[in-house]
Amino acid sequence: MSIVVQKYGGSSVADVSRLKQVAERVMRTRRQGHDVVVVVSAMGDTTDDLLALARQVSANPDRRELDMLLTAGERIAMALLSLAIRELGGEAISFTGSQSGIITNDRHVDARIIEVRPFRVEDELARGRVVVIAGYQGVSYRREVTTLGRGGSDTTAVAMAAALGAEYCEICSDVDGVYTADPRVVPGARRIASLSYEETQELAESGAKVLNAQAVEFAKDKGIVLYARATASPPGAESAEGGTVVRRFPPRMPGAVVGVASERDVLVLEARGDSDAAAVLAALDEHGVAGKQLHQSGAGEVTLVISRENLHDEGRLRADLAARFGGRVRLIDDLGALSVVGAGINQSFENLRRGSEALTAAGATPRGVATSSFRITWMVPRATLDDSVRTLHRAFLEQPSPALP
Ligand code: ADP
Ligand code: ASP
Ligand code: MG
């Protein structure tokens, strides 16, 4: 029997009635003749609520203890979903990340999966059971419980699909696929029926929350076909109703923009030339803080963008940077990152010019820009971010390209 891995996000299991609907969908998939592995997120806003609780106790919570706390969210969801499937007459068993054999490094709150040893999952599938796995968590070689970073249940699902040789992996959410922009921000955004791994990974890394970037990276490496779908849609590889399929595709016409994404909660680090760039980067590593779009000038000046998503002890980082580098290192806190994505997007400077002009005309003059072969990212005032997403969506995806001089 072929194995199908389905992942259900927090909004899909936010309350008991939704959880029961998920159990029905799982049973439907089972009746289609598949072995089913279900990866589940914490119910609703549980992870945010647990983080808020930790902050009431500690302004800079210890990362190991945070992991102990945060993994509880998915553990609740997995047990309840297993019970709901059993109520429908299915045979189900729930496992934590550790029990499922998800082995990670020991970078707490932002761990990477190193290998998956799904022996217990395989045994239970062989017994005819549906296996329900707590997403977003694993265990390190030192037997410490870890979490995979926000949105990490997607990663659990893809890693499990790869380890089990699954036919496909469905990521089920409140939105019925990947859109040309966040449909909550751009009402006119369109669903994209098919995307390559590279396009999806760039969208995810640029802040499109619908799929987790690390998950897409895994899928690309292992050639796992991903379906991003609404939980309300019917299951199945051939399900015609909407969704986005992510898999290997021949390259599109280079230069076209496929989507706009943004990341609101970022800090921009600027280090002056006399600050010793290597020491600044070493300090970030000591704090387990990853930066992106790093730029270092010949004069030793460094700028980079830090995502706050998995930075739960910012106060400690700020205090340490101030103690070591004083005013030579600044953290700028009023910008957001705004990206357009597409293969070969920078073959000429036309897209860059068009985007910059549109933003400036709309009064959101960019404060910096970075490019790669798949992406252009502008740093814009955070207060204008959503408007700027709409501006770029209009400029690139709602009208035929006007010829630039
Ligand atoms: P889940 O809890 O199911 O993992 P998430 O909240 O992580 O769901 O991701 C789904 C959300 O991602 C949607 O509600 C949508 O607002 C947002 N989103 C951001 N960018 C996009 C995009 N390009 N396409 C679809 N959804 C997007
Ligand atoms: N519950 C975790 C989060 O909120 C993981 C996930 O939903 O994928 O980030
Ligand atoms: Mg998610």
mmCIF file of all heavy atoms in Angstrom, residues 70-115:
data_model
loop_
_atom_site.group_PDB
_atom_site.id
_atom_site.type_symbol
_atom_site.label_atom_id
_atom_site.label_comp_id
_atom_site.label_asym_id
_atom_site.label_seq_id
_atom_site.Cartn_x
_atom_site.Cartn_y
_atom_site.Cartn_z
ATOM 1 N N LEU A 70 7.131 24.331 24.573
ATOM 2 C CA LEU A 70 6.451 24.450 23.277
ATOM 3 C C LEU A 70 6.036 23.088 22.708
ATOM 4 O O LEU A 70 5.005 22.981 22.038
ATOM 5 C CB LEU A 70 7.346 25.180 22.270
ATOM 6 C CG LEU A 70 7.667 26.644 22.631
ATOM 7 C CD1 LEU A 70 8.579 27.265 21.575
ATOM 8 C CD2 LEU A 70 6.380 27.470 22.752
ATOM 9 N N THR A 71 6.837 22.059 22.969
ATOM 10 C CA THR A 71 6.487 20.738 22.421
ATOM 11 C C THR A 71 5.179 20.213 23.014
ATOM 12 O O THR A 71 4.540 19.331 22.427
ATOM 13 C CB THR A 71 7.611 19.708 22.687
ATOM 14 O OG1 THR A 71 8.032 19.816 24.050
ATOM 15 C CG2 THR A 71 8.797 19.946 21.777
ATOM 16 N N ALA A 72 4.787 20.768 24.160
ATOM 17 C CA ALA A 72 3.535 20.313 24.779
ATOM 18 C C ALA A 72 2.333 20.619 23.876
ATOM 19 O O ALA A 72 1.350 19.869 23.863
ATOM 20 C CB ALA A 72 3.358 20.983 26.143
ATOM 21 N N GLY A 73 2.403 21.710 23.111
ATOM 22 C CA GLY A 73 1.266 22.103 22.268
ATOM 23 C C GLY A 73 0.907 21.016 21.271
ATOM 24 O O GLY A 73 -0.257 20.598 21.152
ATOM 25 N N GLU A 74 1.893 20.534 20.547
ATOM 26 C CA GLU A 74 1.645 19.501 19.528
ATOM 27 C C GLU A 74 1.258 18.175 20.186
ATOM 28 O O GLU A 74 0.536 17.362 19.609
ATOM 29 C CB GLU A 74 2.895 19.316 18.662
ATOM 30 C CG GLU A 74 2.950 20.192 17.405
ATOM 31 C CD GLU A 74 3.102 21.678 17.654
ATOM 32 O OE1 GLU A 74 3.403 22.063 18.805
ATOM 33 O OE2 GLU A 74 2.925 22.471 16.705
ATOM 34 N N ARG A 75 1.753 17.962 21.397
ATOM 35 C CA ARG A 75 1.459 16.708 22.091
ATOM 36 C C ARG A 75 -0.031 16.622 22.449
ATOM 37 O O ARG A 75 -0.650 15.559 22.357
ATOM 38 C CB ARG A 75 2.316 16.648 23.352
ATOM 39 C CG ARG A 75 2.383 15.305 23.942
ATOM 40 C CD ARG A 75 3.508 15.250 24.950
ATOM 41 N NE ARG A 75 3.462 14.002 25.643
ATOM 42 C CZ ARG A 75 4.531 13.348 26.083
ATOM 43 N NH1 ARG A 75 5.723 13.855 25.908
ATOM 44 N NH2 ARG A 75 4.396 12.213 26.699
ATOM 45 N N ILE A 76 -0.595 17.753 22.811
ATOM 46 C CA ILE A 76 -2.040 17.780 23.096
ATOM 47 C C ILE A 76 -2.820 17.441 21.818
ATOM 48 O O ILE A 76 -3.708 16.590 21.805
ATOM 49 C CB ILE A 76 -2.458 19.177 23.621
ATOM 50 C CG1 ILE A 76 -1.808 19.444 24.978
ATOM 51 C CG2 ILE A 76 -3.975 19.311 23.672
ATOM 52 C CD1 ILE A 76 -1.946 20.880 25.456
ATOM 53 N N ALA A 77 -2.438 18.111 20.735
ATOM 54 C CA ALA A 77 -3.178 17.929 19.474
ATOM 55 C C ALA A 77 -3.092 16.488 18.979
ATOM 56 O O ALA A 77 -4.075 15.915 18.504
ATOM 57 C CB ALA A 77 -2.639 18.896 18.420
ATOM 58 N N MET A 78 -1.903 15.883 19.100
ATOM 59 C CA MET A 78 -1.741 14.526 18.548
ATOM 60 C C MET A 78 -2.617 13.521 19.299
ATOM 61 O O MET A 78 -3.241 12.652 18.695
ATOM 62 C CB MET A 78 -0.264 14.087 18.587
ATOM 63 C CG MET A 78 0.212 13.673 19.957
ATOM 64 S SD MET A 78 1.930 13.105 19.971
ATOM 65 C CE MET A 78 1.957 12.305 21.585
ATOM 66 N N ALA A 79 -2.669 13.665 20.618
ATOM 67 C CA ALA A 79 -3.454 12.705 21.406
ATOM 68 C C ALA A 79 -4.942 12.871 21.103
ATOM 69 O O ALA A 79 -5.673 11.886 20.909
ATOM 70 C CB ALA A 79 -3.175 12.910 22.892
ATOM 71 N N LEU A 80 -5.396 14.127 21.014
ATOM 72 C CA LEU A 80 -6.821 14.359 20.749
ATOM 73 C C LEU A 80 -7.207 13.860 19.357
ATOM 74 O O LEU A 80 -8.271 13.261 19.174
ATOM 75 C CB LEU A 80 -7.157 15.844 20.908
ATOM 76 C CG LEU A 80 -7.103 16.378 22.346
ATOM 77 C CD1 LEU A 80 -7.342 17.887 22.367
ATOM 78 C CD2 LEU A 80 -8.127 15.671 23.243
ATOM 79 N N LEU A 81 -6.325 14.103 18.375
ATOM 80 C CA LEU A 81 -6.655 13.651 17.021
ATOM 81 C C LEU A 81 -6.690 12.120 16.965
ATOM 82 O O LEU A 81 -7.570 11.533 16.324
ATOM 83 C CB LEU A 81 -5.642 14.209 16.013
ATOM 84 C CG LEU A 81 -5.938 13.865 14.561
ATOM 85 C CD1 LEU A 81 -7.330 14.329 14.136
ATOM 86 C CD2 LEU A 81 -4.892 14.473 13.636
ATOM 87 N N SER A 82 -5.765 11.481 17.652
ATOM 88 C CA SER A 82 -5.762 10.019 17.674
ATOM 89 C C SER A 82 -7.072 9.507 18.291
ATOM 90 O O SER A 82 -7.701 8.570 17.777
ATOM 91 C CB SER A 82 -4.544 9.536 18.467
ATOM 92 O OG SER A 82 -4.524 8.148 18.519
ATOM 93 N N LEU A 83 -7.498 10.154 19.370
ATOM 94 C CA LEU A 83 -8.774 9.767 19.996
ATOM 95 C C LEU A 83 -9.939 9.965 19.024
ATOM 96 O O LEU A 83 -10.831 9.119 18.926
ATOM 97 C CB LEU A 83 -9.012 10.604 21.260
ATOM 98 C CG LEU A 83 -8.114 10.288 22.473
ATOM 99 C CD1 LEU A 83 -8.363 11.290 23.595
ATOM 100 C CD2 LEU A 83 -8.367 8.863 22.965
ATOM 101 N N ALA A 84 -9.913 11.094 18.290
ATOM 102 C CA ALA A 84 -11.014 11.385 17.358
ATOM 103 C C ALA A 84 -11.072 10.343 16.249
ATOM 104 O O ALA A 84 -12.158 9.920 15.824
ATOM 105 C CB ALA A 84 -10.853 12.788 16.770
ATOM 106 N N ILE A 85 -9.919 9.907 15.761
ATOM 107 C CA ILE A 85 -9.892 8.873 14.704
ATOM 108 C C ILE A 85 -10.439 7.552 15.264
ATOM 109 O O ILE A 85 -11.224 6.849 14.623
ATOM 110 C CB ILE A 85 -8.458 8.714 14.154
ATOM 111 C CG1 ILE A 85 -8.017 9.996 13.439
ATOM 112 C CG2 ILE A 85 -8.367 7.517 13.206
ATOM 113 C CD1 ILE A 85 -6.541 10.062 13.080
ATOM 114 N N ARG A 86 -10.051 7.254 16.486
ATOM 115 C CA ARG A 86 -10.558 6.027 17.117
ATOM 116 C C ARG A 86 -12.079 6.063 17.269
ATOM 117 O O ARG A 86 -12.755 5.057 17.089
ATOM 118 C CB ARG A 86 -9.920 5.837 18.486
ATOM 119 C CG ARG A 86 -8.501 5.324 18.382
ATOM 120 C CD ARG A 86 -7.757 5.480 19.683
ATOM 121 N NE ARG A 86 -6.445 4.857 19.595
ATOM 122 C CZ ARG A 86 -6.174 3.612 19.980
ATOM 123 N NH1 ARG A 86 -7.111 2.855 20.507
ATOM 124 N NH2 ARG A 86 -4.972 3.114 19.840
ATOM 125 N N GLU A 87 -12.593 7.240 17.587
ATOM 126 C CA GLU A 87 -14.061 7.373 17.724
ATOM 127 C C GLU A 87 -14.766 7.041 16.420
ATOM 128 O O GLU A 87 -15.912 6.622 16.416
ATOM 129 C CB GLU A 87 -14.450 8.791 18.155
ATOM 130 C CG GLU A 87 -14.250 9.080 19.631
ATOM 131 C CD GLU A 87 -15.041 8.131 20.534
ATOM 132 O OE1 GLU A 87 -16.261 8.006 20.334
ATOM 133 O OE2 GLU A 87 -14.425 7.510 21.422
ATOM 134 N N LEU A 88 -14.076 7.270 15.295
ATOM 135 C CA LEU A 88 -14.683 6.980 13.989
ATOM 136 C C LEU A 88 -14.446 5.522 13.572
ATOM 137 O O LEU A 88 -14.687 5.136 12.426
ATOM 138 C CB LEU A 88 -14.111 7.922 12.920
ATOM 139 C CG LEU A 88 -14.428 9.405 13.115
ATOM 140 C CD1 LEU A 88 -13.753 10.242 12.024
ATOM 141 C CD2 LEU A 88 -15.943 9.648 13.072
ATOM 142 N N GLY A 89 -13.880 4.754 14.458
ATOM 143 C CA GLY A 89 -13.667 3.338 14.143
ATOM 144 C C GLY A 89 -12.300 3.048 13.556
ATOM 145 O O GLY A 89 -12.007 1.903 13.208
ATOM 146 N N GLY A 90 -11.471 4.091 13.431
ATOM 147 C CA GLY A 90 -10.121 3.857 12.902
ATOM 148 C C GLY A 90 -9.194 3.390 14.009
ATOM 149 O O GLY A 90 -9.469 3.586 15.195
ATOM 150 N N GLU A 91 -8.140 2.763 13.604
ATOM 151 C CA GLU A 91 -7.121 2.401 14.592
ATOM 152 C C GLU A 91 -6.020 3.437 14.479
ATOM 153 O O GLU A 91 -5.439 3.605 13.411
ATOM 154 C CB GLU A 91 -6.555 1.032 14.272
ATOM 155 C CG GLU A 91 -7.409 -0.085 14.777
ATOM 156 C CD GLU A 91 -6.546 -1.328 14.979
ATOM 157 O OE1 GLU A 91 -5.598 -1.271 15.774
ATOM 158 O OE2 GLU A 91 -6.843 -2.316 14.304
ATOM 159 N N ALA A 92 -5.727 4.122 15.559
ATOM 160 C CA ALA A 92 -4.720 5.178 15.477
ATOM 161 C C ALA A 92 -3.825 5.122 16.698
ATOM 162 O O ALA A 92 -4.230 4.644 17.760
ATOM 163 C CB ALA A 92 -5.400 6.544 15.389
ATOM 164 N N ILE A 93 -2.616 5.606 16.514
ATOM 165 C CA ILE A 93 -1.695 5.718 17.644
ATOM 166 C C ILE A 93 -0.900 7.017 17.467
ATOM 167 O O ILE A 93 -0.537 7.372 16.345
ATOM 168 C CB ILE A 93 -0.747 4.491 17.733
ATOM 169 C CG1 ILE A 93 0.182 4.635 18.944
ATOM 170 C CG2 ILE A 93 0.054 4.290 16.454
ATOM 171 C CD1 ILE A 93 0.898 3.344 19.315
ATOM 172 N N SER A 94 -0.681 7.732 18.556
ATOM 173 C CA SER A 94 0.055 8.995 18.441
ATOM 174 C C SER A 94 1.480 8.827 18.959
ATOM 175 O O SER A 94 1.728 8.030 19.870
ATOM 176 C CB SER A 94 -0.659 10.092 19.227
ATOM 177 O OG SER A 94 -0.687 9.792 20.600
ATOM 178 N N PHE A 95 2.388 9.587 18.342
ATOM 179 C CA PHE A 95 3.799 9.583 18.740
ATOM 180 C C PHE A 95 4.324 11.011 18.840
ATOM 181 O O PHE A 95 3.975 11.863 18.009
ATOM 182 C CB PHE A 95 4.666 8.865 17.684
ATOM 183 C CG PHE A 95 4.573 7.361 17.704
ATOM 184 C CD1 PHE A 95 4.598 6.649 16.507
ATOM 185 C CD2 PHE A 95 4.505 6.657 18.898
ATOM 186 C CE1 PHE A 95 4.543 5.262 16.507
ATOM 187 C CE2 PHE A 95 4.448 5.265 18.900
ATOM 188 C CZ PHE A 95 4.463 4.567 17.704
ATOM 189 N N THR A 96 5.198 11.237 19.782
ATOM 190 C CA THR A 96 5.931 12.518 19.816
ATOM 191 C C THR A 96 6.991 12.485 18.710
ATOM 192 O O THR A 96 7.219 11.444 18.083
ATOM 193 C CB THR A 96 6.654 12.701 21.162
ATOM 194 O OG1 THR A 96 7.617 11.637 21.275
ATOM 195 C CG2 THR A 96 5.703 12.671 22.332
ATOM 196 N N GLY A 97 7.677 13.607 18.515
ATOM 197 C CA GLY A 97 8.764 13.633 17.530
ATOM 198 C C GLY A 97 9.837 12.626 17.884
ATOM 199 O O GLY A 97 10.360 11.902 17.023
ATOM 200 N N SER A 98 10.163 12.575 19.149
ATOM 201 C CA SER A 98 11.196 11.658 19.615
ATOM 202 C C SER A 98 10.787 10.207 19.347
ATOM 203 O O SER A 98 11.572 9.407 18.812
ATOM 204 C CB SER A 98 11.422 11.921 21.111
ATOM 205 O OG SER A 98 12.076 10.862 21.709
ATOM 206 N N GLN A 99 9.566 9.855 19.680
ATOM 207 C CA GLN A 99 9.104 8.470 19.444
ATOM 208 C C GLN A 99 9.069 8.127 17.956
ATOM 209 O O GLN A 99 9.216 6.968 17.582
ATOM 210 C CB GLN A 99 7.700 8.282 20.042
ATOM 211 C CG GLN A 99 7.687 8.275 21.558
ATOM 212 C CD GLN A 99 6.266 8.293 22.083
ATOM 213 O OE1 GLN A 99 5.416 9.064 21.620
ATOM 214 N NE2 GLN A 99 5.987 7.444 23.063
ATOM 215 N N SER A 100 8.868 9.161 17.124
ATOM 216 C CA SER A 100 8.817 8.912 15.664
ATOM 217 C C SER A 100 10.205 8.812 15.057
ATOM 218 O O SER A 100 10.335 8.564 13.868
ATOM 219 C CB SER A 100 8.094 10.040 14.929
ATOM 220 O OG SER A 100 7.056 10.547 15.655
ATOM 221 N N GLY A 101 11.230 9.078 15.854
ATOM 222 C CA GLY A 101 12.606 8.936 15.354
ATOM 223 C C GLY A 101 13.143 10.164 14.640
ATOM 224 O O GLY A 101 14.012 10.059 13.778
ATOM 225 N N ILE A 102 12.616 11.341 14.996
ATOM 226 C CA ILE A 102 13.110 12.574 14.354
ATOM 227 C C ILE A 102 14.323 13.087 15.137
ATOM 228 O O ILE A 102 14.174 13.613 16.242
ATOM 229 C CB ILE A 102 12.001 13.635 14.323
ATOM 230 C CG1 ILE A 102 10.802 13.017 13.632
ATOM 231 C CG2 ILE A 102 12.520 14.943 13.703
ATOM 232 C CD1 ILE A 102 10.054 13.810 12.705
ATOM 233 N N ILE A 103 15.499 12.892 14.564
ATOM 234 C CA ILE A 103 16.739 13.251 15.254
ATOM 235 C C ILE A 103 17.223 14.601 14.720
ATOM 236 O O ILE A 103 17.311 14.790 13.499
ATOM 237 C CB ILE A 103 17.850 12.193 14.997
ATOM 238 C CG1 ILE A 103 17.308 10.770 15.099
ATOM 239 C CG2 ILE A 103 19.049 12.437 15.918
ATOM 240 C CD1 ILE A 103 16.882 10.328 16.452
ATOM 241 N N THR A 104 17.520 15.510 15.633
ATOM 242 C CA THR A 104 17.914 16.865 15.229
ATOM 243 C C THR A 104 19.284 17.219 15.823
ATOM 244 O O THR A 104 19.795 16.507 16.688
ATOM 245 C CB THR A 104 16.908 17.921 15.742
ATOM 246 O OG1 THR A 104 17.069 18.051 17.169
ATOM 247 C CG2 THR A 104 15.473 17.542 15.434
ATOM 248 N N ASN A 105 19.793 18.368 15.404
ATOM 249 C CA ASN A 105 20.943 18.920 16.114
ATOM 250 C C ASN A 105 20.439 19.541 17.420
ATOM 251 O O ASN A 105 19.239 19.476 17.727
ATOM 252 C CB ASN A 105 21.721 19.921 15.234
ATOM 253 C CG ASN A 105 20.899 21.148 14.864
ATOM 254 O OD1 ASN A 105 19.820 21.376 15.399
ATOM 255 N ND2 ASN A 105 21.411 21.936 13.954
ATOM 256 N N ASP A 106 21.331 20.156 18.190
ATOM 257 C CA ASP A 106 20.866 20.613 19.513
ATOM 258 C C ASP A 106 20.660 22.122 19.567
ATOM 259 O O ASP A 106 20.751 22.731 20.630
ATOM 260 C CB ASP A 106 21.810 20.137 20.624
ATOM 261 C CG ASP A 106 23.235 20.563 20.361
ATOM 262 O OD1 ASP A 106 23.454 21.351 19.419
ATOM 263 O OD2 ASP A 106 24.133 20.090 21.089
ATOM 264 N N ARG A 107 20.369 22.724 18.443
ATOM 265 C CA ARG A 107 20.104 24.151 18.401
ATOM 266 C C ARG A 107 18.661 24.387 18.852
ATOM 267 O O ARG A 107 17.715 24.385 18.041
ATOM 268 C CB ARG A 107 20.315 24.627 16.965
ATOM 269 C CG ARG A 107 20.289 26.110 16.759
ATOM 270 C CD ARG A 107 20.517 26.348 15.265
ATOM 271 N NE ARG A 107 20.105 27.672 14.899
ATOM 272 C CZ ARG A 107 20.963 28.653 14.618
ATOM 273 N NH1 ARG A 107 22.243 28.440 14.634
ATOM 274 N NH2 ARG A 107 20.503 29.840 14.293
ATOM 275 N N HIS A 108 18.480 24.603 20.128
ATOM 276 C CA HIS A 108 17.125 24.723 20.677
ATOM 277 C C HIS A 108 16.349 25.879 20.027
ATOM 278 O O HIS A 108 16.930 26.880 19.654
ATOM 279 C CB HIS A 108 17.187 24.925 22.191
ATOM 280 C CG HIS A 108 17.502 23.656 22.935
ATOM 281 N ND1 HIS A 108 16.609 22.601 23.004
ATOM 282 C CD2 HIS A 108 18.603 23.257 23.609
ATOM 283 C CE1 HIS A 108 17.151 21.617 23.703
ATOM 284 N NE2 HIS A 108 18.367 21.987 24.082
ATOM 285 N N VAL A 109 15.077 25.706 19.913
ATOM 286 C CA VAL A 109 14.054 26.567 19.275
ATOM 287 C C VAL A 109 14.221 26.749 17.765
ATOM 288 O O VAL A 109 13.377 27.365 17.126
ATOM 289 C CB VAL A 109 13.848 27.978 19.920
ATOM 290 C CG1 VAL A 109 13.572 27.893 21.391
ATOM 291 C CG2 VAL A 109 14.975 28.948 19.614
ATOM 292 N N ASP A 110 15.293 26.241 17.193
ATOM 293 C CA ASP A 110 15.486 26.387 15.749
ATOM 294 C C ASP A 110 16.319 25.207 15.238
ATOM 295 O O ASP A 110 17.251 25.383 14.459
ATOM 296 C CB ASP A 110 16.207 27.721 15.482
ATOM 297 C CG ASP A 110 16.105 28.152 14.038
ATOM 298 O OD1 ASP A 110 15.272 27.571 13.312
ATOM 299 O OD2 ASP A 110 16.859 29.053 13.636
ATOM 300 N N ALA A 111 15.960 24.006 15.683
ATOM 301 C CA ALA A 111 16.798 22.833 15.391
ATOM 302 C C ALA A 111 16.597 22.363 13.948
ATOM 303 O O ALA A 111 15.565 22.619 13.328
ATOM 304 C CB ALA A 111 16.448 21.705 16.355
ATOM 305 N N ARG A 112 17.604 21.706 13.419
ATOM 306 C CA ARG A 112 17.552 21.112 12.077
ATOM 307 C C ARG A 112 17.444 19.598 12.187
ATOM 308 O O ARG A 112 18.118 18.997 13.033
ATOM 309 C CB ARG A 112 18.855 21.410 11.331
ATOM 310 C CG ARG A 112 19.039 22.853 11.010
ATOM 311 C CD ARG A 112 18.743 23.091 9.556
ATOM 312 N NE ARG A 112 18.247 24.447 9.386
ATOM 313 C CZ ARG A 112 17.854 24.948 8.231
ATOM 314 N NH1 ARG A 112 17.864 24.204 7.150
ATOM 315 N NH2 ARG A 112 17.414 26.164 8.145
ATOM 316 N N ILE A 113 16.647 19.013 11.323
ATOM 317 C CA ILE A 113 16.567 17.547 11.318
ATOM 318 C C ILE A 113 17.833 16.986 10.675
ATOM 319 O O ILE A 113 18.229 17.418 9.587
ATOM 320 C CB ILE A 113 15.320 17.071 10.554
ATOM 321 C CG1 ILE A 113 14.056 17.547 11.281
ATOM 322 C CG2 ILE A 113 15.322 15.551 10.400
ATOM 323 C CD1 ILE A 113 12.768 17.203 10.581
ATOM 324 N N ILE A 114 18.474 16.050 11.362
ATOM 325 C CA ILE A 114 19.690 15.429 10.832
ATOM 326 C C ILE A 114 19.351 14.083 10.190
ATOM 327 O O ILE A 114 19.836 13.752 9.122
ATOM 328 C CB ILE A 114 20.722 15.229 11.964
ATOM 329 C CG1 ILE A 114 21.171 16.602 12.466
ATOM 330 C CG2 ILE A 114 21.908 14.410 11.488
ATOM 331 C CD1 ILE A 114 21.976 16.521 13.731
ATOM 332 N N GLU A 115 18.527 13.315 10.857
ATOM 333 C CA GLU A 115 18.075 12.065 10.247
ATOM 334 C C GLU A 115 16.739 11.648 10.849
ATOM 335 O O GLU A 115 16.343 12.150 11.913
ATOM 336 C CB GLU A 115 19.119 10.950 10.393
ATOM 337 C CG GLU A 115 19.257 10.409 11.771
ATOM 338 C CD GLU A 115 20.229 9.225 11.835
ATOM 339 O OE1 GLU A 115 19.969 8.186 11.200
ATOM 340 O OE2 GLU A 115 21.228 9.341 12.561
#
